[in-house]
Amino acid sequence: MKAVTWQGRRTVEVRSVPDPRIEEPTDILVEITTTGLCGSDLHLYEVLGAFLDEGDILGHEAMGIVRETGPGVHALTPGDRVIVPFNISCGTCFMCVRGLQSQCETTQVHAYGTGAALFGYTKLYGQVPGGQAELLRVPFGNTLPVAVPHGPPDDRFVLLTDVLPTAWQAVEYADVPPGGSVAVLGLGPIGDMCTRIAAHRGAGTVIGIDLVPERLDRAERRGVDVLDLGRLGSRVVEAARELTGGRGPCAVIDAVGMEAHGSPAATAAQRMTSLLPDALAARLMSRVGLDRLHALHLAVDMVRRGGTLSVSGVYGGMTDPLPLLTMFDKQLTVRMGQANVLRWMSDLLPLVTDGDPLGVEQFATHHVPLAEAPAAYEMFQAKQDGAVKVLFRP
């Protein structure tokens, strides 16, 4: 089959690789019909190469048609249409039954002390072949994949694999009071969807902050109060306070993560680390890794006293300096973590089957053949051509 493979920093290639096969009785094989390019994939493209091997198959946002089932699968049959959550969870362990599928005790990666394994996402999370491919082996076929109806286009459902549950959890964790205010840092796919969900759930003021004009325009067209960080610079905090009665937003969602703009020293450190041999780079990143914390510091400054920070952007540094004095003094609540995809499915399925209040069918900006993945990665990483969400058609 054809698959998108990692070959080095800023280098992905579509190559022929062996087809996956049924390995356990509850495995299924899914023929991928649509698979997404995520902002988290750019961390692999740019920063986390020390935890990848040449040829690793990327991607963690996949849906398609069940083509084969193991002898222990009773919940699905060949021909069913499914979405595949990005975190690999058994559905039956202590964590899973409590809605913490991202911490699944069956698939935790003990070698690195991390949570549930993920599709297509480095040794840190199991080095499981990903979904930017023509076929995907999916374990736990009775409890992990989610059947969706035939008929509506893939765009209606593919965001259920990551974007929708990640954004929903971010807004849930933000705990915005009815009619309250929330600011979203970063208007990539997760941040953009956060603004839509926050408005749908009753926020009175939704503020979107970014540097990219096309992303700001896109959010503004949906009624978001947008602030251009490139134009405002440090005055963006004051501008957010002006929109929220002088106090600052009730909650701030950091949808940016480790590769935020505005942190030149951390940017240089990340790039220098990527030039080291993998074994040394991995040790450095695991013990003294630094992230670009501009977005997180901005969130701490911006949120009102007694407010909430919700962090959905991925961070990986072990020695990141946090402004704990300010966080303590402002009495902030901080919630974060990988999305527990299945936890939110009952909330989200009606929003993509009974109408389309979040605009998922028109959410993707680019539909690209899988063969053009290398160019799509480059375009998305450079924020060119108005790219917000890229979907591949294998």
Side-chain angles (χ1 to χ4, degrees):
M1 69 171 184
K2 298 293 187 182
V4 179
T5 63
W6 185 87
Q7 299 296 330
R9 180 173 176 266
R10 293 194 180 185
T11 304
V12 299
E13 295 179 4
V14 178
R15 293 195 175 182
S16 293
V17 300
D19 288 359
R21 57 184 179 81
I22 298 292
E23 297 179 12
E24 300 291 339
T26 55
D27 287 351
I28 65 171
L29 295 183
V30 177
E31 181 180 330
I32 302 303
T33 54
T34 298
T35 181
L37 172 56
C38 178
S40 296
D41 293 323
L42 297 184
H43 303 323
L44 315 185
Y45 190 65
E46 177 74 21
V47 177
L48 296 177
F51 300 102
L52 290 158
D53 291 329
E54 290 186 16
D56 280 355
I57 299 173
L58 304 180
H60 58 273
E61 301 180 344
M63 69 171 293
I65 305 298
V66 177
R67 287 306 177 213
E68 185 179 348
T69 62
V73 176
H74 54 77
L76 297 168
T77 59
D80 286 343
R81 189 186 195 192
V82 296
I83 64 101
V84 182
F86 75 90
N87 33 36
I88 304 172
S89 58
C90 69
T92 57
C93 71
F94 177 92
M95 291 294 179
C96 285
V97 299
R98 286 161 177 78
L100 292 169
Q101 292 88 3
S102 66
Q103 309 302 320
C104 174
E105 292 181 330
T106 304
T107 71
Q108 286 176 14
V109 184
H110 297 294
Y112 289 95
T114 52
L118 310 177
F119 287 103
Y121 212 79
T122 79
K123 298 172 186 176
L124 293 171
Y125 289 98
Q127 206 169 23
V128 180
Q132 290 174 4
E134 294 176 324
L135 288 169
L136 179 66
R137 181 182 76 88
V138 179
F140 309 112
N142 293 315
T143 53
L144 179 59
V146 177
V148 295
H150 288 277
D154 280 8
D155 284 41
R156 182 65 74 98
F157 301 114
V158 70
L159 300 185
L160 290 169
T161 62
D162 182 355
V163 172
L164 277 168
T166 297
W168 188 272
Q169 179 171 297
V171 175
E172 176 76 15
Y173 283 6
D175 195 25
V176 184
S181 55
V182 59
V184 180
L185 304 182
L187 295 174
I190 301 301
D192 185 311
M193 187 56 72
C194 283
T195 66
R196 301 181 186 207
I197 291 171
H200 174 77
R201 293 181 55 162
T205 300
V206 180
I207 303 167
I209 300 168
D210 206 294
L211 296 157
V212 182
E214 295 89 345
R215 296 183 177 188
L216 293 164
D217 291 344
R218 173 179 159 108
E220 189 172 34
R221 289 196 298 270
R222 292 189 65 92
V224 175
D225 291 309
V226 298
L227 298 175
D228 184 344
L229 182 61
R231 180 177 62 83
L232 290 168
S234 61
R235 291 182 292 116
V236 73
V237 172
E238 180 183 348
R241 288 175 180 157
E242 289 174 357
L243 292 170
T244 54
R247 293 189 180 91
C250 304
V252 176
I253 297 172
D254 174 1
V256 179
M258 68 170 71
E259 295 184 75
H261 293 272
S263 304
T267 301
Q270 287 178 348
R271 289 178 177 170
M272 288 177 63
T273 301
S274 71
L275 300 175
L276 297 172
D278 283 354
L280 177 57
R283 286 198 298 273
L284 284 172
M285 293 177 70
S286 297
R287 297 175 186 176
V288 295
L290 283 174
D291 294 316
R292 308 180 203 172
L293 293 177
H294 181 67
L296 189 59
H297 283 273
L298 184 61
V300 171
D301 288 343
M302 184 177 295
V303 69
R304 71 161 170 81
R305 290 180 177 274
T308 301
L309 299 184
S310 174
V311 182
S312 62
V314 175
Y315 286 95
M318 295 299 291
T319 59
D320 289 335
L322 295 177
L324 291 175
L325 186 152
T326 302
M327 295 165 72
F328 181 85
D329 178 66
K330 293 184 75 171
Q331 199 169 333
L332 303 183
T333 298
V334 183
R335 298 195 70 183
M336 63 182 70
Q338 297 279 11
N340 303 296
V341 174
L342 292 175
R343 165 67 180 81
W344 311 113
M345 204 54 59
S346 60
D347 296 297
L348 292 169
L349 277 171
L351 299 180
V352 298
T353 54
D354 302 335
D356 186 14
L358 301 177
V360 295
E361 276 199 41
Q362 289 76 44
F363 190 78
T365 54
H366 294 73
H367 295 83
V368 178
L370 193 68
E372 298 177 14
Y377 266 81
E378 183 177 354
M379 172 189 68
F380 190 41
Q381 200 272 340
K383 300 180 176 67
Q384 296 173 339
D385 195 29
V388 174
K389 188 61 186 175
V390 179
L391 297 177
F392 297 127
R393 308 292 198 203

